Structure formats: structure tokens, C-alpha cells
Amino acid sequence: MRPPPLLLLLLLLLLSGCDAAAPPADTLFQLPAPRNLKVHLYNAQQALSWEPVSLHNDTRPVVYQVQYKYSTSSTWYDVNKKDSRVDCTNLTGTECNFTANSLLEGFPRHFNISLRVRAKLGDLVSAWVKAPWFEHYRNATIGPPEDIWVTPEEGSLIIRFSSPFDVPASVAFFLYYVYYWEKAGIKQVTRPFRSNFITLNDLKPLRVYCFQVKAELFLAKENISRPGHLSNISCSETTVDASTKLQQVILISMGTFLLLSVVVGACLFLVLKYRGLVKYWFHSPPSIPSQIEEGTLIIIKEKNSYFTMKMIPGGHHLEHQDRQS
């Protein structure tokens, strides 16, 4: 049965009046909500960050409240020192670091966690904004191994390091890879291994080798892995044993002696072959008699007489003297 036109008109007016009286959902909250929530998971670190809320007509500081819940529960809990050892109920900053006090704290790494945050200013609040849920072991960024130490030996390198962070063996474990190469050579990679050290064998002695170490996280009960980042490049030179060093010293000494012998022999051969030329090069020029240098020269001409020639500027002066018998 169709309603009368008048009743239909009244019903439409009533409904439109109710819609006009009901405020939009966004106006229920007096503050803008935080934006761009980001969950930071690096090794054992856990943190939530967001962009600050800015108000143009109020200079009071805005604070933020963070809550969490597990995927198995519908109840939200405040992140406070009582439950989490970190107080994120009235933050003036834009980050809640759940592992600020200790990397061993924070949320359980094998649980699904949901986070949300809102802004507060006195009695004013914003809407809650949720971050994507996460499970630490599934979503964390795995950094490179730490405290890398290398010991060079004869034709080998012993590499030691520590894991990116501690994990319980019943839940997860790390596998490691070492990428290594002779300087300016071809890169090679080892098989995956679980220990915190490895020996690179069959290397050339007295050669420089470079390497990088990478860790990969595996969940023990699930077929899930998280590859990590490579460490910085490190280089080291392999060594040789004492006998090899002695052999090298002997070979170097013998080589030096042979080289010197060849040089000396070649010099002697050249001297003997070109003896006349060498003698000519090193022969001293004729010298002027001392009498000429002094200006007087005695010349004997006869048995009982002699001539004395004196060198004077502009000519010669000759004197004759008889020798007394």
C-alpha cells in the first residue's frame, strides 16, 4: 500500500533533518591525527615513528599516546613502564623506541604485534591511527655480523665475528656466508655455515685478499628466512712459514750475488778488450820541465863551457860561461 503524498513528504523532511543534525565522523575529533606511521625493525631494535601534528592556532605542545595489542587479543594496552619498561603515554617527540633501555626488551619477536598512536592536547584528542602489524623475525632488517676479526696465516685467513643479535636456538638461528677474492681478482663465496668463525684455505701466500661476511636468519620451525646485509670490505695479506721465509732469503741473497758477479765480470771483460783505449783515457798528459816553469834552462854544448838561456819577457837572453877545469 502506497503512503499518501503528504506523509511521504513529511518523512523525507524528517530524514533530511536528522542527516543535517548528525556531524561528520571527522569532526568528532578536535585534533588532526598523526600521519606516515613507520615501524623500524633493525636487528634487535624496535621503534615506531610518525610525522608531528601541527596546529596554527595553538602554541601548546602536542603529546602522543601509543598503544599495542597482540593478534590473539582484542584489547589495547598502553606502552608504559609497568608493562613495557618504556613510557610512551605522553610523548613530546615523534618516536616510541621499545628497546631504548635494552635490546633484550621490547615485544616478543615471534608474536604478531599491532600498534596505534594518537595526538593529545589538553582535553583534545585525535583519532587513533594504526600501523601495519609486524612479527619481528619475519619483518626485521638483518644487519651484517659484528666485531669481525681476521688472523692471517700461511696461505689462509681465519675470520671470526659475532652474530648481528642474539636469538634463542629453539626459535631461530643464523647461517653465514663469506665472499672473498684476491685483490683485483674474481669473487668467490663459501658454503653456508653456522659457527662464528671460518678458515679460508688454499690461498696464495703473501697475497692480499679481501672479504665480506653476510648473515641470514632462519626460523627453526618455519620455512622462512631473512637475508642480511654484507659487512664492509676488509682486506688482509696472507703469510708464509719460517722455512719458506728462509728459502726466500737464500734465493734473494744468491740472486744478488749472481747479479753482482755478472756486473763485475762484464766490467773486467770490457777493460781487457779495450785496454788500449782505457789506457789512453787514463794516461796523464806530458808535463812542462820545472826549469822552464822557473824561467831558466841549462844547456850543455861543449866540454868546458855551457850556455845558460834565461826566459825573459819579449825575447831570450843567452849567456856564455867557461867552465873552470
Side-chain angles (χ1 to χ4, degrees), residues 11-116:
L11 180 61
L12 292 174
L13 291 175
L14 181 62
L15 290 175
S16 62
C18 291
D19 291 340
D26 294 341
T27 62
L28 293 177
F29 302 98
Q30 302 89 347
L31 292 179
R35 295 182 178 181
N36 294 332
L37 274 64
K38 295 181 180 179
V39 178
H40 302 272
L41 304 172
Y42 182 82
N43 287 345
Q45 300 174 11
Q46 299 174 352
L48 174 68
S49 65
W50 55 89
E51 290 185 359
V53 171
S54 59
L55 301 175
H56 301 289
N57 56 354
D58 200 324
T59 58
R60 292 178 296 172
V62 178
V63 297
Y64 303 93
Q65 179 183 4
V66 179
Q67 291 185 339
Y68 72 95
K69 76 179 185 71
Y70 297 106
S71 60
T72 56
S73 173
S74 60
T75 305
W76 290 91
Y77 302 93
D78 283 331
V79 179
N80 52 38
K81 289 186 176 181
K82 179 180 178 181
D83 299 329
S84 308
R85 300 185 182 181
V86 178
D87 190 2
C88 295
T89 55
N90 290 288
L91 287 173
T92 56
T94 58
E95 182 184 73
C96 178
N97 189 345
F98 308 107
T99 54
N101 294 333
S102 173
L103 295 178
L104 298 178
E105 300 170 0
F107 299 110
R109 298 172 187 167
H110 54 285
F111 278 39
N112 291 339
I113 307 296
S114 293
L115 299 171
R116 68 179 185 178

Side-chain angles (χ1 to χ4, degrees), residues 167-169 171-175 194 216-220:
V167 295
V171 178
F173 60 91
F174 285 107
L175 288 181
R194 294 186 62 168
E216 187 171 4
L217 179 67
F218 283 83
L219 299 184

Side-chain angles (χ1 to χ4, degrees), residues 144-145 148 157 159 161 175-183 185-193 198 200 203 209-216 227-236:
I148 298 176
L157 295 176
I159 303 173
F161 49 86
L175 288 181
Y176 301 100
Y177 304 82
V178 175
Y179 297 81
Y180 66 98
W181 62 96
E182 187 178 351
K183 206 163 188 179
I186 300 176
K187 184 178 290 188
Q188 305 179 62
V189 61
T190 64
R191 295 178 178 271
F193 57 96
I198 187 175
L200 302 179
L203 305 181
Y209 285 85
C210 299
F211 64 91
Q212 292 177 286
V213 188
K214 185 182 78 172
E216 187 171 4
H229 292 285
L230 286 167
S231 65
N232 294 329
I233 297 176
S234 302
C235 297
S236 183

